[in-house]
Amino acid sequence: MAESFPNEGKLKCIFFSEFHPTLGPKITFQVPEDYISRELFDTVHVYIITKPKLQNRLITVNALGKKIIGCPVSIKNAKYSRNALVFNLCFVCDIQTDTVPYEPLIKKLASYLITFELESGFISDENSKSALPGILSALLKQLNEHGKCSIPINESNTIHLKIVPSTKDPSPVLEHHVPMFLADKYSYNFSQWDLTTQQILPYIDGINHVQRIAAEADVDLDLVKICLQNMLYYGVITVVPIFQYSNVYMITPEIDKLMEDKELQEECLEYVAKPGTSPPTVHSVMLLYCSLGPSTTVKDLCMRHDPRALHIDERHLIQFGLLRGLIRRVHQYPVKVVPRLEQGGQEERDVQYRNREPLDRLMQGRLNFDEICCKTGKSYVELEGIVEKDENVFVCWK
């Protein structure tokens, strides 16, 4: 079976276009034949065979339901008609396709063709150029089926290409995040990681938040964030909120998968089981998850249902739910409402703002309890007490 990859089958056509000295811009070869109509080419040819200012640049064109990506090339030499050889090898996809993974391939193909032409006149010689249809066909087939290709051109040249899927940068790692390994920590080869990452590894346990890891490892907080961001990017870890019994969670639509997916059930029961006991039942796990809600803290959940009696570790229950998207954290965002001055202008109001307590400046609805606790060093209980005593502070749950 062919190896599967994210852009499998999304490449619809490859064509080679050139500037003919008498006919002008034309498609010389395309695979499959007649995929790009004359009407479409006439519409976009100024972006395929371009003026000098746009040459040697990646250009993507959306037209008539298709997306064309190419890199127009011009080789200047007096031996060519009009003193230049102008051509472009282009990929064609559906208009909704993400073509970013193909951009490096287009640039590399343009570089290959320039090299072949300079070495042996591969494109300007009609005999050698006649091999292009076979090369285009092999490119289309291998890239669509395997995401990579290796196509011999002659005794000394081979085209090697590979599609590298584009990945989105993960969200920034913050002080209050708790990093967790997605696989067994000891399954990784620590010696291949940089010294700073090796220094913080012992403190990544699914309990310590980023600021505590930095303090206990005696490593600068910004360096810790950089290391964790790198691990997050490569899928080594994920981050979850700080676990506290005062936390509030609620289920997501993904909870339905736990009832339908047998493999997910087995993974869940193994993860949440209390050490030294028999595995819990799916019914018990679903009972606890579905008992979570905006008005229920983890402490309330434990008092009502006693997870330990059901052979369930409540911390692992919450962690698994977050890792698999079965539940989400409901955060508290405190907002300090300061009475406005009845008299005075903007200057007086600015002075009033600057004279506010540092904690008041953090309570503007943008930071949640976890973030404020990390920035101030206060415990959750201390912050909650301050909020409850101040009648001008309101809490938004979201």
Side-chain angles (χ1 to χ4, degrees):
M1 182 180 293
E3 180 185 356
S4 178
F5 61 99
N7 278 44
E8 184 173 4
K10 290 187 177 180
L11 199 56
K12 301 301 181 184
C13 171
I14 302 178
F15 69 85
F16 177 82
S17 177
E18 61 183 331
F19 184 86
H20 191 276
T22 56
L23 300 177
K26 58 173 283 192
I27 294 180
T28 307
F29 306 112
Q30 61 173 310
V31 178
E33 292 184 5
D34 300 324
Y35 187 85
I36 300 297
S37 66
R38 183 70 191 178
E39 177 191 6
L40 175 55
F41 185 72
D42 287 344
T43 303
V44 301
H45 74 80
V46 293
Y47 302 106
I48 306 299
I49 302 299
T50 68
K51 300 294 184 182
K53 287 185 178 180
L54 293 178
Q55 289 169 358
N56 299 310
R57 298 172 182 266
L58 281 169
I59 297 178
T60 302
V61 183
N62 295 328
L64 302 181
K66 296 179 174 62
K67 185 179 289 189
I68 302 172
I69 176 173
C71 181
V73 170
S74 175
I75 302 176
K76 300 185 185 305
N77 195 301
K79 70 178 182 179
Y80 302 121
S81 299
R82 302 198 183 188
N83 299 318
L85 179 67
V86 183
F87 61 89
N88 196 350
L89 192 152
C90 299
F91 287 176
V92 184
C93 304
D94 290 333
I95 200 163
Q96 71 274 12
T97 301
D98 176 16
T99 55
V100 172
Y102 294 119
E103 291 179 358
L105 277 66
I106 287 289
K107 291 285 286 185
K108 194 170 183 180
L109 278 169
S111 177
Y112 272 128
L113 293 178
I114 292 172
T115 301
F116 298 161
E117 172 62 23
L118 294 177
E119 287 182 353
S120 61
F122 181 79
I123 296 172
S124 56
D125 180 84
E126 293 298 325
N127 289 329
S128 56
K129 188 168 68 174
S130 63
L132 272 176
I135 294 172
L136 301 186
S137 181
L139 278 171
L140 184 67
K141 178 179 175 61
Q142 293 184 32
L143 290 177
N144 273 341
E145 291 183 357
H146 308 291
K148 58 185 178 180
C149 69
S150 181
I151 302 170
I153 304 301
N154 51 41
E155 293 181 358
S156 56
N157 291 295
T158 302
I159 293 176
H160 296 287
L161 299 173
K162 182 174 183 179
I163 298 173
V164 179
S166 57
T167 56
K168 295 182 178 179
D169 290 339
S171 301
V173 175
L174 304 176
E175 292 92 334
H176 64 284
H177 284 155
V178 176
M180 292 182 60
F181 281 95
L182 291 174
D184 182 8
K185 180 196 300 189
Y186 300 102
S187 65
Y188 298 100
N189 184 356
F190 294 168
S191 63
Q192 296 181 351
W193 294 358
D194 63 85
L195 294 177
T196 304
T197 302
Q198 292 183 44
Q199 192 171 342
I200 68 174
L201 284 176
Y203 306 99
I204 302 176
D205 56 5
I207 299 174
N208 291 331
H209 55 76
V210 173
Q211 193 168 35
R212 180 178 293 175
I213 291 172
E216 295 194 2
D218 193 24
V219 176
D220 179 76
L221 179 59
D222 289 336
L223 285 178
V224 172
K225 287 182 181 180
I226 291 171
C227 291
L228 294 175
Q229 191 77 39
N230 190 50
M231 296 169 74
L232 190 63
Y233 179 85
Y234 287 105
V236 176
I237 63 168
T238 188
V239 293
V240 297
I242 298 171
F243 177 85
Q244 297 181 103
Y245 284 92
S246 54
N247 287 357
V248 174
Y249 302 88
M250 62 184 297
I251 57 175
T252 72
E254 295 294 306
I255 194 69
D256 292 341
K257 292 183 179 178
L258 191 57
M259 291 300 297
E260 302 165 355
D261 190 330
K262 296 298 182 183
E263 290 185 7
L264 183 62
Q265 290 178 8
E266 294 176 4
E267 183 185 1
C268 176
L269 297 181
E270 181 181 354
Y271 192 95
V272 307
K274 180 184 174 183
T277 64
S278 56
T281 64
V282 175
H283 177 271
S284 298
V285 172
M286 288 297 296
L287 171 67
L288 295 180
Y289 277 141
C290 294
S291 297
L292 295 170
S295 60
T296 303
T297 64
V298 177
K299 181 179 179 181
D300 296 334
L301 181 77
C302 293
M303 293 181 67
R304 291 174 190 170
H305 298 289
D306 191 6
R308 298 301 176 100
L310 300 174
H311 304 169
I312 294 174
D313 183 310
E314 63 273 11
R315 182 188 292 273
H316 288 177
L317 178 81
I318 297 299
Q319 286 179 343
F320 185 85
L322 292 170
L323 289 171
R324 295 295 177 265
L326 309 178
I327 63 173
R328 70 174 182 87
R329 174 82 180 278
V330 183
H331 285 284
Q332 299 181 71
Y333 292 81
V335 181
K336 179 69 176 279
V337 180
V338 180
R340 297 186 63 180
L341 291 173
E342 297 296 331
Q343 298 179 344
Q346 183 63 42
E347 184 176 345
E348 286 81 358
R349 287 194 288 271
D350 289 343
V351 171
Q352 183 189 43
Y353 178 80
R354 287 194 296 270
N355 290 337
R356 295 173 68 181
E357 294 293 327
L359 181 58
D360 292 348
R361 297 174 189 166
L362 298 176
M363 295 193 291
Q364 298 183 50
R366 290 192 291 267
L367 303 178
N368 59 48
F369 266 44
D370 288 355
E371 293 170 296
I372 294 174
C373 287
C374 280
K375 289 181 180 296
T376 62
K378 296 183 182 298
S379 68
Y380 183 93
V381 174
E382 288 176 319
L383 181 57
E384 189 176 42
I386 292 171
V387 168
E388 288 181 352
K389 291 176 182 178
D390 193 333
E391 60 182 14
N392 292 320
V393 178
F394 300 87
V395 176
C396 297
W397 292 81
K398 61 180 180 179

